[in-house]
Amino acid sequence: MIRVENIYKSFGEKSILCGVNLEVCSGQTFVIVGSSGVGKSIFLKTIVGLIKPESGIITIDGIDITKCIVSDLRKIQKKVGYVFQESALFDSLNVFENVAFGLRSLTNLSEEEIKNRVTKCLTMVGLKNVEHLKPANLSGGMKKRVAIARTISYKPNYILYDEPTTGLDPIMSDVISDLIISLKKYLNVSSVVVTHDMKSAYKIADRIMMLYEGRIIFSGTPEEVKNTDNEYVRQFVEGSSRGPMQQIDRTFKMG
Amino acid sequence: MKKTLNVFQFYKANQAFVYRLIEGLGKAVWMVLETFACIFKLEINCKSTIEQMVEVGWRSTPIVILTSFFTGMVLALQVGNATSNLFNEPVYVGTVTGFSMVIELGPVLTSIVVTGRVGAAITAELGTMKVTEQLDALYTLGTSPVKYLAVSRFLACFFMLPILTVISNIVGIYGGLILSTNTWGLSTYTYLSQSLDFMTVRTFIHGFIKSFFFALIMVIVACYKGFNTENGAEGVGKAVTGSVMTSIVLILVTDYFLTTLLVALRIK
Ligand SMILES: Nc1ncnc2c1ncn2[C@@H]1O[C@H](COP(=O)(O)OP(=O)(O)OP(=O)(O)O)[C@@H](O)[C@H]1O
Ligand SMILES: [Mg+2]
């Protein structure tokens, strides 16, 4: 179980997270939505320990990641997978080596097994015959899928996805949504998914929560989201530029 | 009122700077300790260490040979000129060229040339990995960036720079020889006996020890600057400049103090 209590994080004067709580039980898929720049990526990174919050507690299966010892940290790294928003593939390694990286560092599989597992994971994200390519020679969507394959390869119990379907065509988005669902079904993986893609969110989520101004302003099942009268959520879901979240000056006058 | 240098006032005025300096030093020390821990536990990736050694050692050899050859020649030319003016004939050409190369120019010049080539490349590569979140990705895949990236580079620089220095010494003396036989009409025997007669094992060790220290400075600064790169492509550019400048300044300053120490220890 991932449990996040009262996380605070700010950069200088600007506070990004002000007391965020989250609890992900095993086999649950949690979707986080929110406007661009509210701090969704920052929040995901604090969960895996890439960013240290100013205060708050993050425990993964009972281990507090902000103050645990190295051997515990390794256990947690093995349990938690992270898909980066910008893919973050190792550009000195080819696709095969990228996907095999986690298998080599976190598991004791033989070369033969690694080879099979890599091919299988790449097929699961709809990629074939790309093993020998370097990340620089892939399209954005292909990179994203390689990044997903790299994360699912070592079968973590928890996977945090930062916008897994952004930049993919609608069909591929649906393939990835199905992948997240089947990982949950067959391997009991719990996921936290940051996404702007409401169609995919409704399909995969057990719960959807919305982040706004450093706080969670809404949390509920997809049905509840569809029927809510929370103005912020409605504006976001409908994708309307008119509503309580005013981001721009509507007069559109230049100069 | 008397104006005194008040440490406390200085601290107050530069508080942010002092904090950053201490924080930076702390991070660097931590990185070095982690590197040593990995080396002592033999957590070394042999394949990538060898790749780095080829990059640092073999691929730097041409540039080191080229610069050392010309440095040896210009030394012999200058010494010959100066002594000709004073004594009407070139004397001590071999001695001064040999000594200068082995104790001073070999180690310093080689490390500066290698800093420009290898130090810059290390910082650029690690810095790019930092700003594209590849270091974060390493962490989530259970691998420490220091163990995976720094250890192999550290070992490669530490062992290759002294070897390059020896090559530089030999080529420099050879450059001096070519010039002396052609311009000053010395025989090969005269030049070489001048060079080697006064040189002892200690002279050689003096230069050799320095090159190990310079290697450490270069690789620690390069890795540190790379790992702490911030702010995208612009940041990578700044980190590379900072890395090369810091290394060169530290090498030259350390050179003075190290020489003083080695002379005091009679390694000269
Ligand atoms: N190192 C930093 N220093 C200062 N501010 C930062 C830093 N990193 C992120 N921020 C700020 O934190 C806020 C949240 O960033 P974050 O990347 O989490 O947004 P996001 O919700 O993931 O947006 P998007 O949907 O566009 O990916 C942004 O406003 C950003 O400017
Ligand atoms: Mg983001």
Side-chain angles (χ1 to χ4, degrees), chain A residues 2-10 15-24 30-33 38-47 53-59 192 194 208-219:
Chain A
I2 297 180
R3 190 195 207 101
V4 177
E5 285 170 45
N6 246 335
I7 292 294
Y8 282 83
K9 176 74 198 170
S10 54
S15 37
I16 309 291
L17 303 171
C18 328
V20 180
N21 296 290
L22 174 78
E23 199 168 291
V24 188
F30 230 101
V31 168
I32 302 177
V33 297
V38 293
K40 303 181 296 296
S41 301
I42 303 280
F43 181 53
L44 276 197
K45 283 183 190 167
T46 42
I47 298 179
E54 271 115 41
S55 69
I57 303 170
I58 303 153
T59 55
V192 180
V194 165
I208 296 178
M209 61 179 228
M210 182 160 164
L211 209 55
Y212 182 65
E213 292 190 337
R215 290 192 178 76
I216 293 174
I217 55 160
F218 182 87
S219 170

Side-chain angles (χ1 to χ4, degrees), chain A residues 11 14 16 35-42 85 163 196:
Chain A
F11 291 104
K14 190 166 152 197
I16 309 291
S35 7
S36 183
V38 293
K40 303 181 296 296
S41 301
I42 303 280
Q85 187 169 3
E163 306 195 9
H196 293 300

Side-chain angles (χ1 to χ4, degrees), chain B residues 167-182:
Chain B
I167 295 176
S168 159
N169 291 342
I170 296 170
V171 174
I173 293 175
Y174 177 70
L177 170 74
I178 298 287
L179 187 119
S180 303
T181 47
N182 287 319

Side-chain angles (χ1 to χ4, degrees), chain B residues 105-130:
Chain B
L105 287 172
V108 172
L109 208 64
T110 309
S111 52
I112 287 178
V113 168
V114 174
T115 298
R117 216 188 86 82
V118 177
I122 291 176
T123 307
E125 187 179 0
L126 302 189
T128 308
M129 290 184 79
K130 169 79 196 297

